[in-house]
Amino acid sequence: SKLYNSAIRKISRLVGKGKVGARLCKLCREMKFALKDFFLSSSFFEKYGLRYFGPVDGHNIEQLENYLTLCKSTDYPVLLHVKTIKGKGNDSASEFPDKFHSISPLRSDSQMRMNHVLGQELLKLARADKRIIGVTAAMANGTGLAYLRDNLPNQYLDVGIAEEHAVTMCAGLAKAGMRPVCIIYSTFMQRAFDQLLHDICLQNLPVIFCIERAGLAANDGPTHHGLFDITYTRCLPNAVVMQPRNTAEFQAMIREAMNYKNPIFIRYNSAYNYSNNLPVAPLKHGCAETLKQGCDICLVALGKFIDSAIKVDEYLGGKCGIVNARFIKPLDRNLLLALAKEYSLIASLEDNVLAGGFGSALMEYYNECDINVPVLRFGWPDCFVEHGTNPEILQDTYHLDPKSIAERISAYKKSMAK
């Protein structure tokens, strides 16, 4: 209580004068903690001299307010341990805490999400190959690895929130002959860049990295947007970087990655609704997919931006060529050479920052080959994108919606004509 704390302070000031008084105060404190330990085991924190209160029921508002008032009245550091239950008060959240990790509108669609596709496909492959090990950093449900955890627990590892350790451990597994599949959110993979470089790519180890939430994490904002992974993976030697345009192509990439002997990165975003209307052509290493022939303008896109490219083409009269790049590294060089001869303008569309992104890779290649073809890049600007209700709102804000892209292409073509 305030009275108790005030009295202790006054007595300490009065008695604690001089060496003898200071020793007496210290002895009293030690006796107090010893007596407390006799009846109640002290917390870890009090062993180091930090006052500890709790655990307190965080759902009891009156009790919580009393403890907060008590902590506020002290003149020394304290640790208040508040215990809460995730989703308390909402039956759905209590029953499915992983689906209520953050608050968002309930989805009524039944479309299969990328993380579930990955989980089911990986389970199928792991049953046939005991070398396959799924690795996550405390995100079993969000990544789809819950399928592996619940059915093949001996082929599943959760390292907790320790992405750096997860990557290095995968290096060790790969050296031992295993086939680790490490699934980490794009924004969290950044933490392990040093390990990706030195422990994986430098040794050219066959580890498959599935980069989840690559692109916008609309509601979570700048701390969670996965807008940088193309930039920080395509600069890594020995790496293969892919991006699927729908769930069927994602399954094909997972199966293809199992045959590779070097580091693989597959980026995707389970929060997006993908169009599965177009059939998927067989996947070949380093080869893009031509979805539509056109004239004058070619749209080369990745992932969800394939759907945007189709709408852009409609705004431009349906005359554009459309290419699903599939591979960010290595590029389909033969196709890019053919596009440069066939079209007068190439537009790249990607869910990544422009700096060091896929569009930059196209420009670098054409520059390397001394090919003078205009490349108009569409991606996220050199800034931290704020949060939004959904990806479409943010795309509108930054002029990455299909209509804005089409208008910019039209304006550029007019300037070229002049």
Side-chain angles (χ1 to χ4, degrees):
S1 67
K2 288 184 179 180
L3 179 62
Y4 170 80
N5 285 308
S6 176
I8 289 294
R9 281 195 296 270
K10 289 178 180 177
I11 293 172
S12 295
R13 290 194 199 101
L14 181 65
V15 178
K17 295 178 180 178
K19 291 184 178 180
V20 176
R23 288 176 183 173
L24 181 61
C25 287
K26 182 180 178 182
L27 178 62
C28 289
R29 280 195 295 270
E30 290 174 351
M31 288 177 62
K32 171 190 170 183
F33 283 117
L35 184 62
K36 184 178 178 181
D37 271 342
F38 182 78
F39 293 102
L40 294 169
S41 59
S42 292
S43 76
F44 169 84
F45 303 99
E46 290 197 336
K47 298 288 186 184
Y48 289 90
L50 183 65
R51 290 295 299 278
Y52 168 89
F53 298 117
V56 179
D57 181 3
H59 301 293
N60 185 331
I61 303 301
E62 183 179 357
Q63 184 188 61
L64 182 60
E65 287 181 346
N66 289 336
Y67 271 94
L68 288 170
T69 302
L70 169 64
C71 293
K72 185 179 177 181
S73 67
T74 63
D75 57 359
Y76 44 81
V78 297
L79 189 145
L80 177 61
H81 180 183
V82 180
K83 188 175 181 180
T84 59
I85 299 172
K86 188 172 185 177
K88 187 175 176 66
N90 184 315
D91 292 339
S92 298
S94 299
E95 189 174 356
F96 305 104
D98 59 296
K99 294 183 179 179
F100 286 80
H101 180 68
S102 59
I103 298 174
S104 59
L106 290 172
R107 287 186 174 127
S108 59
D109 64 282
S110 58
Q111 186 186 48
M112 182 68 80
R113 298 278 155 186
M114 287 287 202
N115 54 346
H116 296 297
V117 169
L118 172 61
Q120 293 177 7
E121 188 66 27
L122 199 58
L123 177 60
K124 189 190 306 180
L125 293 168
R127 280 183 168 141
D129 188 348
K130 297 302 179 185
R131 298 176 305 152
I132 294 175
I133 303 289
V135 180
T136 181
M139 296 296 289
N141 291 292
T143 60
L145 277 179
Y147 288 97
L148 208 60
R149 177 196 64 195
D150 298 340
N151 293 279
L152 297 174
N154 290 334
Q155 290 173 257
Y156 163 83
L157 289 169
D158 185 346
V159 302
I161 305 176
E163 288 80 5
E164 301 91 332
H165 166 56
V167 172
T168 300
M169 187 182 68
C170 285
L173 289 169
K175 290 289 284 185
M178 308 301 286
R179 291 308 313 268
V181 180
C182 185
I183 311 171
I184 298 176
Y185 283 18
S186 173
T187 188
F188 304 139
M189 185 70 85
Q190 294 159 190
R191 300 170 179 169
F193 180 78
D194 183 58
Q195 286 73 24
L196 291 173
L197 176 63
H198 284 132
D199 299 339
I200 302 294
C201 291
L202 181 63
Q203 300 183 72
N204 197 24
L205 296 175
V207 180
I208 300 170
F209 292 98
C210 294
I211 305 179
E212 167 69 283
R213 299 302 195 275
L216 289 178
N219 284 315
D220 290 329
T223 58
H224 282 60
H225 289 318
L227 301 178
F228 306 97
D229 56 86
I230 290 181
T231 304
Y232 69 71
T233 55
R234 82 173 187 89
C235 67
L236 296 171
N238 297 322
V240 172
V241 188
M242 298 182 275
Q243 182 167 0
R245 65 175 170 85
N246 58 23
T247 54
E249 192 164 81
F250 188 30
Q251 288 175 305
M253 287 183 176
I254 296 166
R255 291 192 293 267
E256 179 71 11
M258 293 295 172
N259 300 320
Y260 290 1
K261 303 299 182 184
N262 51 315
I264 308 298
F265 297 90
I266 308 175
R267 71 185 307 262
Y268 58 98
N269 193 324
S270 293
Y272 290 167
N273 285 312
Y274 289 85
S275 172
N276 286 285
N277 298 329
L278 296 172
V280 175
L283 189 71
K284 294 182 180 179
H285 177 65
C287 293
E289 176 190 23
T290 300
L291 298 176
K292 178 179 175 290
Q293 295 288 348
C295 61
D296 197 27
I297 302 168
C298 185
L299 308 173
V300 184
L302 286 166
K304 186 70 172 69
F305 269 73
I306 289 292
D307 297 339
S308 298
I310 293 170
K311 293 178 181 177
V312 170
D313 179 45
E314 293 173 2
Y315 279 115
L316 294 175
K319 297 180 180 180
C320 299
I322 301 176
V323 172
N324 170 26
R326 287 181 164 179
F327 286 84
I328 299 162
K329 184 178 183 179
L331 293 171
D332 189 339
R333 295 179 169 232
N334 293 331
L335 179 63
L336 290 177
L337 285 174
L339 295 180
K341 295 176 182 178
E342 188 176 350
Y343 297 94
S344 63
L345 174 64
I346 294 173
S348 66
L349 289 75
E350 61 186 300
D351 204 9
N352 193 80
V353 292
L354 290 173
F358 176 66
S360 295
L362 298 187
M363 295 181 75
E364 289 166 13
Y365 173 65
Y366 284 131
N367 182 65
E368 176 189 320
C369 296
D370 199 23
I371 296 174
N372 188 23
V373 59
V375 177
L376 200 56
R377 299 178 303 150
F378 292 92
W380 297 95
D382 185 22
C383 69
F384 288 106
V385 177
E386 66 270 24
H387 92 285
T389 307
N390 58 46
E392 286 74 22
I393 287 178
L394 289 171
Q395 286 175 11
D396 290 346
T397 302
Y398 288 90
H399 308 295
L400 285 176
D401 59 291
K403 185 177 180 182
S404 296
I405 292 173
E407 288 173 351
R408 186 179 162 198
I409 291 174
S410 295
Y412 188 83
K413 285 296 294 179
K414 289 178 182 178
S415 68
M416 286 176 65
K418 294 178 181 178

